[in-house]
Amino acid sequence: MKHQTGPYHVYILLFLLLLITAEIIWSWKKGRNAYEVKETFSNLLVFAGFQLSKYLFAGYQLTVLGFFAHLSPFKLPHNVWIFLLTFVTADFIYYWFHRASHRWKPLWAFHLIHHSAMHMNLTAAYRLNWFSALLSPLFFIPAALLGMPFDFIVISYALNLVYQFFLHTEAIGKLGLVEKVMDTPSSHRVHHGSNPIYIDKNFGGVLIIWDRLFGTYQPETERVNYGLTTGFLSYNPFRLVMHGFLGWFKPVISTTSIVNSSPVLEASKEK
């Protein structure tokens, strides 16, 4: 769902680019190798396509949510408490949307691009499928039917995604007590790990309490290996976006098929 940032849109983009530049300098000085040139350019191209898709699908997204908001038998008022309720509800919905995207192959087809990055850095945050906007409003229909203000739903989801941008980094270590409530870079590094202990863990957006409540929390205990369990996928943004969809039409060969094959039974097999 597209959130209008008006004249501040350019300033926000420049701020994000400044943070990315700072992270690149940090990685170079610390010898962390958090960036790889070809993958970084690939991430930026995917990001450009995703930005375009937001404009293309904004009308569809707003129409879907608006339709179901109109069907709600009651309307909650616009105040701080209702905004907080909407924000927490949106985060709860995101948890299940995200978890389903790892467990159900049709949804994994949209999401796997985000896990195909072999390095964890801020540019990987927007390694997102260009068609994911077709799905996201469908999951927020319950919030609209519960009478939560339409604009509060849109803003809450937008803030959720903005927050997650800052989670995609190795520059920040563990944050102590914050780790018990909030999703943090450490928790999200785990989520991107292809290590057996890390697969299908830490689905939270802003809050990590959902993972703790529903048994999907895993602290960062060993060095994270990033990317799909099948290995490197591609630098081509079009292949990255379409790979999951093409996997629907590939015949199942065996569980030991070639690298980059589609998941055989469950989405998590390819993560």
Side-chain angles (χ1 to χ4, degrees):
M1 288 164 285
K2 179 179 175 291
H3 173 50
Q4 297 287 351
T5 53
Y8 301 103
H9 184 82
V10 174
Y11 297 108
I12 292 172
L13 182 60
L14 289 175
F15 175 66
L16 297 182
L17 290 175
L18 179 63
L19 289 179
I20 290 170
T21 301
E23 187 183 46
I24 291 173
I25 294 173
W26 167 84
S27 175
W28 173 65
K29 286 189 172 182
K30 296 291 186 179
R32 297 296 295 267
N33 298 316
Y35 281 82
E36 194 274 329
V37 175
K38 289 184 178 180
E39 183 174 272
T40 300
F41 277 106
S42 177
N43 292 346
L44 294 176
L45 288 172
V46 170
F47 172 68
F50 180 72
Q51 290 296 104
L52 177 61
S53 75
K54 290 200 299 182
Y55 287 96
L56 292 177
F57 297 123
Y60 156 78
Q61 294 179 302
L62 297 177
T63 299
V64 169
L65 273 186
F67 174 79
F68 286 97
H70 182 72
L71 293 180
S72 176
F74 53 88
K75 309 293 181 185
L76 296 177
H78 280 71
N79 59 50
V80 173
W81 297 111
I82 296 302
F83 177 76
L84 291 176
L85 174 64
T86 304
F87 186 84
V88 173
T89 301
D91 194 64
F92 178 72
I93 290 173
Y94 176 82
Y95 168 84
W96 289 105
F97 175 28
H98 194 183
R99 185 169 176 175
S101 295
H102 279 249
R103 303 304 302 168
W104 191 37
K105 186 175 179 180
L107 292 182
W108 176 246
F110 288 85
H111 189 56
L112 71 82
I113 181 177
H114 188 61
H115 286 270
S116 63
M118 304 297 289
H119 300 80
M120 175 60 86
N121 57 62
L122 293 174
T123 68
Y126 287 110
R127 194 179 176 102
L128 302 170
N129 197 290
W130 301 338
F131 302 102
S132 59
L134 296 172
L135 296 175
S136 54
L138 303 179
F139 281 81
F140 289 88
I141 289 173
L145 290 175
L146 288 172
M148 295 179 187
F150 173 89
D151 52 342
F152 281 6
I153 298 172
V154 173
I155 294 170
S156 294
Y157 184 52
L159 290 176
N160 196 297
L161 295 181
V162 169
Y163 178 81
Q164 290 184 55
F165 170 81
F166 301 98
L167 301 180
H168 294 78
T169 183
E170 292 187 320
I172 300 175
K174 293 190 176 183
L175 298 177
L177 292 177
V178 177
E179 304 280 346
K180 296 185 179 297
V181 179
M182 306 288 291
D183 196 3
T184 65
S186 176
S187 294
H188 204 65
R189 287 192 292 269
V190 167
H191 178 69
H192 277 262
S194 59
N195 316 43
I197 193 176
Y198 292 156
I199 291 176
D200 291 346
K201 300 296 183 181
N202 300 357
F203 296 110
V206 175
L207 302 174
I208 204 68
I209 56 176
W210 314 124
D211 289 283
R212 291 181 177 276
L213 285 173
F214 299 111
T216 53
Y217 177 72
Q218 171 61 46
E220 186 177 20
T221 56
E222 62 185 44
R223 182 174 179 81
V224 183
N225 298 317
Y226 301 109
L228 304 171
T229 57
T230 48
F232 172 74
L233 181 54
S234 177
Y235 293 126
N236 186 321
F238 295 98
R239 183 180 178 192
L240 290 170
V241 169
M242 299 304 298
H243 179 77
F245 306 126
L246 295 175
W248 291 351
F249 305 102
K250 288 182 180 179
V252 176
I253 299 174
S254 72
T255 55
T256 57
S257 54
I258 60 172
V259 170
N260 299 334
S261 62
S262 59
V264 177
L265 294 177
E266 297 177 338
S268 60
K269 297 292 185 182
E270 190 173 353
K271 174 163 174 316

